[in-house]
Amino acid sequence: MTKPSCRNLVLVLGDQLDHEHPALAEADPGQDVVLMIETAGEAAYVQSHKHRITVFLSAMRHYAEHLRTSGWKVVYRELEEQVPSIASGLGDAVEVLAPDALWLTEPGEWRLLHGIRTQAAALDLECRIFEDSHFLCSHDAFEEWAQGRKNLVMEYFYREMRKHHGILMEDGKPAGGKWNFDKENRDSFGCNGPTHLPDARRFEPDVMTQDVMEAVERHFPEHPGSLENFGWPVTREEALEALEHFIDTRITRFGRYQDAMWAGEPFLYHALISSSMNLKLLNPGEAIEAAEQAWRKDGERAPIAAVEGFVRQILGWREFIRGVYWREMPGYRDLNHFEHDIPLPGFFWNADTPMNCLAQAFGDTLDNGYAHHIQRLMVIGNYATLTGLDPQAVCDWYLGIYVDAVEWVELPNTLGMALHGDGGIVGSKPYVASGSYINRMSNYCSDCTYDVTARSGDGACPFNSLYWDFLARHREEMSSTPRMRMVLKNLDRWSAEEVEAIQEHARAHRKSLHG
């Protein structure tokens, strides 16, 4: 009996569900076979939220069905087959199919890329890796821009991207007369809270998604989260609908309130499309085009400040972060600028903390596998930095807990921006703040047992003592940043006894985290 064979084995990973998949674009359904693998090893590589596992696996199964109806032969390994790893599943497929070569698009994680290359070499299998055409800036283009720069500043990169792609440009100048409308996008809700808040677009799980949910509950019963409220988009059609819903109902107030927080409202005016983009169900170019066209059609419904802020997150920050990740890996993951080493407190997994801002941010996260960027950055990340939590443990938590997390985007955002653990590769200064910032941008403090105006003593907000203690301990470094010098002068206005009381309060808080 002749051994089955194929020309190329095309490995499609869970974050590569692009309907214009680069490797498939050159492959031949008549000669090549697609391989897709569900493995508990990947789902449990970090302690993943049940929503995150379900998003990935359901989207993979729907994508596989799309490929089959398009004429592709798909070898699909489900969780029930207990394939221990992608490398193992690849070895099994090679043994059965005897392909001439392995084709794949570049994974979104250095660990996977290295592991697949290693396995292909061990199998003596030619491996062709396609660059991911989903992005708007190639590795070579980013390296050309970064070469010779002392500091990589996202704003300058973003302006070059705007000019190169002709996005929000008019006669060679930025639309609206400014490159950046960030100052107009920092409003809070005041005392009255958000108004005209539309319901978030959620998607009822179909039979295929329900099967995945049942499998997730069987295989990962102890993982965080509940699937009772699962409603994330898992198909190309749903991703496009989510984008349309944002443009039609939420973009008007998105820009102005994109940094605001409100108790019990995890979604507010945010787009909720990041998981779809990071799985490649949605192309960043079409998201940008939809927003720009909405502004050109009706600037009142889609104000330039809101549209520019949305575009900056995708064309600027998202592309910049990806460039940094691949430029700095693999050593980037091990950076620990402040030498922080405190283990994660238990409330990262149960939201059980008397600090209401943390309880709200962790509660939203654990309920939905989602929190918007200010909750991630200025509540959870800010707290982790000020407290001195182990950055690798924090990064693993972010990678596992959020539905949109893939390492290329999660790691620089967490280690670099939220924790300043890279010492300034991503951001020029740590994103740290006292309780006053959280009080200004939310209603969290009004329902908190702590006093947001106090820096030390019984009932003082821990964010305040942790913030000033952090600045005191890192004063020399912080003073090199012009924006921090005025803030640091506050330490000189207070007596030595008051500064010591603040630092003692911070030390006591850190000690309380683990008994």
Side-chain angles (χ1 to χ4, degrees):
M1 182 175 180
T2 305
K3 187 176 182 180
S5 64
C6 69
R7 185 185 65 167
N8 297 308
L9 183 63
V10 184
L11 176 63
V12 174
L13 300 172
D15 65 334
Q16 300 177 341
L17 311 181
D18 195 336
H19 280 226
E20 298 180 358
H21 193 283
L24 292 176
E26 293 195 27
D28 179 0
Q31 303 182 75
D32 303 324
V33 175
V34 175
L35 173 65
M36 300 181 71
I37 306 167
E38 296 178 5
T39 165
E42 285 303 311
Y45 165 64
V46 289
Q47 185 80 345
S48 292
H49 196 288
K50 290 176 183 176
H51 281 214
R52 180 176 185 258
I53 303 172
T54 301
V55 163
F56 271 80
L57 300 190
S58 179
M60 287 174 65
R61 292 189 188 185
H62 282 91
Y63 187 77
E65 186 61 26
H66 159 73
L67 292 179
R68 291 189 186 102
T69 59
S70 300
W72 291 93
K73 179 181 179 182
V74 181
V75 175
Y76 195 99
R77 307 291 302 276
E78 295 190 356
L79 275 178
E80 283 70 15
E81 298 180 59
Q82 298 184 343
V83 182
S85 66
I86 289 176
S88 175
L90 178 58
D92 293 344
V94 169
E95 183 176 355
V96 171
L97 297 171
D100 296 328
L102 172 68
W103 283 12
L104 71 150
T105 297
E106 177 185 82
E109 185 170 342
W110 187 92
R111 173 187 62 90
L112 275 177
L113 177 60
H114 177 72
I116 291 167
R117 278 176 166 161
T118 300
Q119 178 69 339
L123 295 169
D124 196 24
L125 183 64
E126 178 187 339
C127 182
R128 181 181 176 187
I129 298 172
F130 292 73
E131 185 165 359
D132 198 337
S133 58
H134 164 89
F135 294 93
L136 297 170
C137 183
S138 68
H139 294 316
D140 288 344
F142 186 84
E143 183 58 34
E144 182 179 348
W145 173 81
Q147 194 69 38
R149 293 176 184 266
K150 184 178 179 181
N151 300 108
L152 304 184
V153 179
M154 190 283 292
E155 179 66 24
Y156 300 148
F157 169 78
Y158 166 59
R159 294 179 186 186
E160 289 300 316
M161 291 289 285
R162 287 265 298 273
K163 289 184 282 188
H164 177 75
H165 291 282
I167 294 171
L168 290 179
M169 299 295 294
E170 294 182 325
D171 299 323
K173 297 180 180 180
K178 294 193 294 186
W179 289 106
N180 188 313
F181 288 83
D182 192 43
K183 290 183 179 179
E184 298 180 27
N185 292 339
R186 298 176 184 172
D187 279 6
S188 67
F189 295 121
C191 298
N192 297 323
T195 59
H196 306 289
L197 185 60
D199 291 335
R201 180 67 178 94
R202 313 299 281 165
F203 298 88
E204 191 68 27
D206 63 11
V207 172
M208 187 176 290
T209 300
Q210 291 173 26
D211 288 344
V212 171
M213 292 163 67
E214 291 174 5
V216 169
E217 293 287 11
R218 285 196 307 275
H219 289 273
F220 310 102
E222 303 303 318
H223 280 231
S226 167
L227 292 173
E228 292 182 4
N229 64 333
F230 182 86
W232 294 103
V234 295
T235 67
R236 165 81 173 154
E237 292 73 22
E238 289 177 347
L240 288 169
E241 189 176 333
L243 172 63
E244 182 179 13
H245 182 76
F246 168 66
I247 298 296
D248 288 345
T249 68
R250 308 169 87 82
I251 198 170
T252 304
R253 293 173 178 82
F254 161 76
R256 181 178 177 183
Y257 298 117
Q258 64 177 288
D259 288 359
M261 299 172 283
W262 197 259
E265 295 292 350
F267 304 122
L268 295 170
Y269 304 104
H270 292 272
L272 309 180
I273 61 172
S274 54
S275 63
S276 296
M277 283 201 297
N278 293 349
L279 293 179
K280 316 296 168 55
L281 297 174
L282 190 64
N283 189 280
E286 62 194 352
I288 291 169
E289 182 179 5
E292 182 172 8
Q293 290 306 312
W295 165 68
R296 293 190 184 280
K297 183 178 180 180
D298 185 350
E300 290 188 11
R301 184 174 67 87
I304 183 62
V307 171
E308 187 279 318
F310 178 73
V311 168
R312 181 165 14 102
Q313 288 189 12
I314 298 173
L315 182 66
W317 193 252
R318 188 172 185 265
E319 297 286 335
F320 176 78
I321 282 293
R322 177 185 181 246
V324 169
Y325 176 83
W326 287 110
R327 192 170 196 255
E328 300 295 334
M329 284 296 281
Y332 188 82
R333 194 178 191 281
D334 298 322
L335 297 178
N336 187 353
H337 176 68
F338 295 118
E339 299 183 353
H340 288 165
D341 60 2
I342 297 176
L344 298 190
F347 54 74
F348 270 66
W349 304 106
N350 58 27
D352 185 12
T353 169
M355 296 177 66
N356 190 44
C357 59
L358 289 179
Q360 293 289 331
F362 283 120
D364 289 348
T365 294
L366 294 169
D367 285 347
N368 304 296
Y370 172 86
H372 72 70
H373 67 284
I374 293 299
Q375 291 176 303
R376 299 190 203 192
L377 175 65
M378 297 307 299
V379 180
I380 299 174
N382 182 21
Y383 179 81
T385 304
L386 297 178
T387 309
L389 302 185
D390 178 355
Q392 276 67 49
V394 177
C395 289
D396 283 349
W397 183 84
Y398 273 78
L399 180 60
I401 210 74
Y402 290 117
V403 293
D404 53 11
V406 182
E407 195 181 69
W408 68 263
V409 67
E410 175 277 325
L411 184 60
N413 266 313
T414 306
L415 181 67
M417 190 178 189
L419 305 178
H420 202 69
D422 64 4
I425 294 173
V426 166
S428 60
K429 70 176 184 65
Y431 277 85
V432 291
S434 67
S436 62
Y437 173 85
I438 296 169
N439 190 35
R440 185 169 69 252
M441 298 307 298
S442 75
N443 67 336
Y444 294 162
C445 300
S446 62
D447 254 345
C448 191
T449 59
Y450 293 106
D451 180 358
V452 72
T453 66
R455 293 187 291 267
S456 63
D458 292 342
C461 173
F463 261 112
N464 293 339
S465 58
L466 290 168
Y467 174 69
W468 292 109
D469 170 68
F470 179 86
L471 295 187
R473 288 186 291 112
H474 299 286
R475 180 165 188 163
E476 183 177 352
E477 178 181 341
M478 296 299 102
S479 63
S480 66
T481 303
R483 287 181 291 176
M484 296 301 297
R485 289 174 191 153
M486 289 296 294
V487 177
L488 289 166
K489 288 183 178 180
N490 286 292
L491 292 170
D492 297 327
R493 298 190 182 104
W494 302 329
S495 68
E497 291 77 14
E498 184 172 0
V499 173
E500 173 55 30
I502 290 170
Q503 294 200 273
E504 177 54 35
H505 191 269
R507 287 192 291 267
H509 180 80
R510 283 193 289 269
K511 186 177 180 180
S512 73
L513 296 179
H514 299 284

